[in-house]
Amino acid sequence: MSLATIIDGKEASARLKSAISASVAALKAKHNIVPGLATVLVGEDPASQVYVRSKQKTATAAGMNSFQHDLPASTSQADLLALVRKLNADPAVNGILVQLPLPKQIDQFAIITAIDPAKDVDGLHPQSAGRLLAGGDSLVSCTPMGCLMLIADVAPNIAGKNAVVLGRSILVGKPVSLLLLNENCTVTMAHSKTQDLPSLCRTADILVAAVGRPEMVKGDWVKPGAIVIDVGINRIPTPDGKGRLVGDVDYAAASKIAGAITPVPGGVGPMTIACLMLNTLKAACQQHGVTDVVVPTRLPSR
Ligand code: NDP
């Protein structure tokens, strides 16, 4: 039996996407501007192909232009840099997303830092990360932003709450921690060297798990009534060989104790793509100096 409120990421992302579509339509009607998202895929990794197609489809469905660049796995760093520079200079492109990971011969950091920060809709450029650290307005990476929106949707005022973030990656753990700090939470960032994780987790009013370890967080690690955001996506083997997706939290046990919890799949995942669309809209407005079109900062109410 589940006692927790299930935080439905699909429903939440549909709400956000509908608000974004309305703003995209307003941008076109008022200013004749259509946001453009360029996605770059190097190689043929099946998971990356699925992610990129889904991003393109969502952009088109929101009324944006989608420009896809598929490059062979053998692409050189120089050729990829040349494409990024071309996209930087293209006024029809407001957001650039280079799907990660990249093949071994390409230095990922060199590519990320070559993207114009104004078009950095993945929020991974050091300038975007630095602005988040400094508390300024920035393009925030999509998964962390999605986590914050889901939290704010169930708890509009989290000032003073204890937040524990499991994981300190540039992609998830660090930006989630900064976003929670900017909301005036007292934040502890835990990692693989942290001692006594169960006790630490039990202090958390808000617990964000982003470690990539299947069901590591047990039910008795969760403080009764806590908000639990499970970012992890792990495929575990099943007898039929197809595998099954689970998060970093033992959902069955934790959902009996938490106050609100995200499932996997169907929690944080769907918010990531919706937030990419939000960043593309925001980037388009900023690049054109548009201030009279709504760029949502929270999930619209139900
Ligand atoms: P990384 O592997 O980059 O980082 C994992 C972090 O977890 C590290 O900081 C690591 O610590 C920490 N960690 C690992 N093992 C333990 C442990 N036993 N105890 C405590 N901390 C531990 O992963 P990402 O941040 O990129 O992703 C995390 C998870 O989120 C993955 O499952 C990934 O698939 C998922 N994800 C989901 C997304 C979505 O849209 N839903 C988007 C992005 C990621 P240390 O630094 O000490 O090594």
Side-chain angles (χ1 to χ4, degrees):
M1 186 188 62
S2 164
L3 297 177
T5 299
I6 311 303
I7 302 175
D8 182 347
K10 272 194 184 162
E11 181 278 330
S13 68
R15 255 188 289 151
L16 181 58
K17 284 188 282 189
S18 143
I20 293 167
S21 298
S23 292
V24 169
L27 189 59
K28 169 105 169 89
K30 289 183 183 174
H31 301 280
N32 202 24
I33 295 167
V34 178
L37 173 66
T39 45
V40 181
L41 176 64
V42 186
E44 276 144 32
D45 176 65
S48 294
Q49 283 176 331
V50 170
Y51 289 141
V52 165
R53 300 292 168 252
S54 167
K55 287 165 187 174
Q56 293 171 290
K57 235 175 83 185
T58 311
T60 310
M64 299 182 185
N65 288 327
S66 164
F67 309 103
Q68 172 56 20
H69 297 267
D70 288 324
L71 305 179
S74 58
T75 300
S76 69
Q77 179 161 322
D79 284 350
L80 184 54
L81 279 173
L83 173 60
V84 168
R85 290 194 189 109
K86 199 172 129 214
L87 297 173
N88 282 345
D90 184 346
V93 171
N94 304 110
I96 301 170
L97 179 130
V98 179
Q99 185 66 40
L100 304 177
L102 291 168
K104 283 192 294 291
Q105 73 275 14
I106 299 177
D107 174 0
Q108 206 153 282
F109 192 70
I111 301 301
I112 291 170
T113 50
I115 295 172
D116 178 351
K119 299 188 177 185
D120 174 36
V121 285
D122 226 1
L124 296 177
H125 192 287
Q127 188 167 312
S128 308
R131 289 180 75 94
L132 178 61
L133 182 71
D137 188 29
S138 60
L139 291 168
V140 177
S141 50
C142 304
T143 301
M145 198 200 313
C147 292
L148 236 286
M149 284 193 166
L150 291 176
I151 294 168
D153 200 41
V154 291
N157 184 6
I158 54 174
K161 299 287 184 197
N162 286 335
V164 173
V165 178
L166 302 179
R168 56 175 165 180
S169 71
I170 293 284
L171 186 62
V172 190
K174 280 179 186 157
V176 166
S177 301
L178 288 169
L179 287 170
L180 288 164
L181 188 62
N182 288 349
E183 295 295 324
N184 297 312
C185 288
T186 304
V187 183
T188 307
M189 213 186 309
H191 45 78
S192 64
K193 308 286 185 291
T194 300
Q195 290 180 14
D196 195 3
L197 274 180
S199 298
L200 178 66
C201 290
R202 279 192 284 271
T203 67
D205 303 307
I206 298 166
L207 180 61
V208 180
V211 287
R213 301 263 180 267
E215 301 181 323
M216 185 184 87
V217 176
K218 306 301 173 201
D220 65 358
W221 296 23
V222 175
K223 179 177 176 178
I227 297 170
V228 178
I229 304 293
D230 190 352
V231 185
I233 302 177
N234 311 289
R235 189 169 287 280
I236 56 168
T238 51
D240 64 8
K242 288 184 181 163
R244 184 169 67 89
L245 287 186
V246 298
D248 290 341
V249 177
D250 178 351
Y251 179 83
S255 60
K256 294 189 178 114
I257 299 169
I261 187 167
T262 57
V264 176
V268 173
M271 285 299 291
T272 298
I273 290 189
C275 288
L276 177 67
M277 301 306 132
L278 183 56
N279 273 345
T280 307
L281 168 69
K282 182 174 176 176
C285 289
Q286 286 180 342
Q287 285 159 36
H288 289 280
V290 170
T291 54
D292 60 352
V293 167
V294 177
V295 179
T297 53
R298 288 280 180 264
L299 281 169
S301 49
R302 282 183 189 81

